[in-house]
Amino acid sequence: MNENELYSLWLEKAVDDPDLQTELKSIEGDADAVTDRFYRDLEFGTGGLRGVIGAGSYRMNIYTIRRATQGLADYVNEAFAVNPSVAIAYDSRIKSDVFAKEAASVLAANGIKVYIYPELMPTPMLSFAVRELKCSAGIVVTASHNPAKYNGYKVYGSDGCQLTLGAAEIVLKNINKVPMFDGAKVIPFEKGLEDGTIEYIKQEVITAYIDKVAEQGIHTDLCATSGLKVVYTPLNGTGNKPVRMILKKIGITDVTVVPEQEYPNGNFTTCPFPNPEIKEALELGLKLCETVKPDLLLATDPDADRVGIAVPDSNGGYVLFTGNEVGAMLLEYVCAERTKLGTMPEDPVAVKTIVTTDITKAIAKEYGVKIIEVLTGFKFIGEQIGFLEDKGEENRYIFGFEESYGYLAGSYVRDKDAVVASMLICEMAAFYRTKGISLLQARENMYKKYGVYKHTQKSFTCEGASGMQKMKELMTMLRTDTPKEIGGLPVTRFDDYLDSTSTDCKTGAKTKLTLPKSDVLTFALTDGASVIIRPSGTEPKIKAYYTTTGATKKEADALGTKIADDFQRILGF
């Protein structure tokens, strides 16, 4: 069917949600609007679905949710013949609760036991529920830190980690066999509750999760008397209850919550981009800091798997730390303090993604920690924990993080966790405070010890059908006409993770890359600099990551700006 035929079909069939009918009638005769909603299906990637909420095959709605869930149900019933079950969580986004219940209704209709949280919960608590309840799979309805118009649907395996590439391919094949409007089995949600096929997750699971988070502390005994003062914002998402609960549990009680962002609000009216990576999302928190004068501003994203911070600077204001800086500081703190206490495991392991700061390698060398590098995506960090668990060595894992503000200590979940990260950040700040050291000074101490590593990331938006094509063309161009220098620095090595080859640009010699195939390119430059580029797997963006080093921050910054400007020219943006 072409776009207009699909539009007519949806106008006839999409009657279970009045909002969809209203939207479809409003775009009648608008060719561009119709094309944008129907030119393709919403793609089930390795993590699941993510897209704009609305009517059409290229939108998040109850029909695309039902279709995806039927594909998942077919996979679960085939892979887990005995007592199959799925856990479900959802965040504060528009229609998240609706989509979660639709998914539950489809699973229940397919004879699969469903455990669903009775209220919105962070993404890591879904991972925990899968493991704690020994489920076959898990679903969390969230679009993480995207703008309000988006929602998403992430699928987890029985290990609590996001679905593996192989399993995701099977689910995708199943989905493609399901007709949009009459292919999914569905029962009313309330009927599932009545017959016990659907069951609300009990408080005991939530309590067990909080206890596991608390176990990851190192010096939590110092927190109550440290005098640490915190301003916290959950950015209208799911972090409000669990983050405040864990901080109270370890003795940090002087916590002021940003009132406008305290309660769930899927419209995110005070922060159009609810992403703790960007300063605009923290403006209300920073304004409150002017009055409260805390030691730390803490911000979690809507599904509470990422956390960002700001700390007082020497000029009376507050400075934001990057994900790389916080992750490196946490790794240094965990390594140093566990070493002192004698709680470091034998042959400890830390895991980072390929786009995450290389200062971790210097820190790891200092403390005898093995660093494992994985592709972008926290599921690959979770996968490494699983490999250790298979050998009975999960306790070797001490920390993992990615540059995009995702951190995890402990193996109780297999995804980044802003709840445990919030606890450890506050504990670290409290510990240093008892030593008369601010977090700003602790960061400078780290740079003095290991050198300054500067990391920046630039996203280039490529929306719609033309945007998808543009991203493909850019990646092809970089492969066929590889830059010989960027920002005046020669390219010494070119890694193509889709082709699984690493090329020495001086000799032309090629070696094989061992990581899974992925549409990622790395340009290694002289002076320890590098550029990495990849299309986002969840957003209509192509992302470039820049690394530079220097004896001083000023030196590293200047080189970083030069490289970023030149690479943007190469891309044609």
Side-chain angles (χ1 to χ4, degrees), residues 225-229 295 428-438:
T225 57
S226 67
L228 189 75
K229 184 183 292 188
D295 302 289
M428 176 174 66
F431 173 77
Y432 285 137
R433 195 176 195 277
T434 64
K435 306 293 184 183
I437 302 170
S438 69

Side-chain angles (χ1 to χ4, degrees), residues 83-224:
N83 299 324
S85 60
V86 175
I88 299 177
Y90 59 92
D91 70 3
S92 61
R93 288 183 173 273
I94 297 167
K95 292 188 181 289
S96 279
D97 56 340
V98 174
F99 295 160
K101 289 179 179 179
E102 287 291 337
S105 297
V106 172
L107 293 166
N110 282 272
I112 297 170
K113 174 74 175 185
V114 177
Y115 298 97
I116 185 170
Y117 278 109
E119 62 178 327
L120 72 171
M121 290 289 171
T123 287
M125 292 182 73
L126 181 278
S127 177
F128 183 80
V130 170
R131 295 177 59 79
E132 184 76 0
L133 299 172
K134 297 178 171 53
C135 292
S136 313
I139 298 167
V140 60
V141 180
T142 177
S144 189
H145 55 282
N146 288 108
K149 67 179 181 178
Y150 286 90
N151 211 328
Y153 173 104
K154 289 165 61 175
V155 180
Y156 289 70
S158 59
D159 58 355
C161 192
Q162 285 188 48
L163 214 56
T164 63
L165 297 175
E169 288 178 4
I170 296 172
V171 174
L172 176 58
K173 288 179 181 177
N174 290 343
I175 293 170
N176 289 337
K177 298 175 185 176
V178 180
M180 184 65 74
F181 291 107
D182 56 7
K185 300 175 185 177
V186 186
I187 66 167
F189 181 80
E190 294 300 327
K191 182 179 184 301
L193 284 176
E194 289 171 7
D195 65 24
T197 314
I198 300 173
E199 180 181 324
Y200 283 120
I201 294 173
K202 295 179 173 59
Q203 178 62 39
E204 289 79 43
V205 174
I206 299 171
T207 301
Y209 165 81
I210 292 295
D211 288 344
K212 284 293 184 182
V213 171
E215 287 177 12
Q216 311 314 314
I218 301 171
H219 288 299
T220 52
D221 55 310
L222 298 176
C223 292

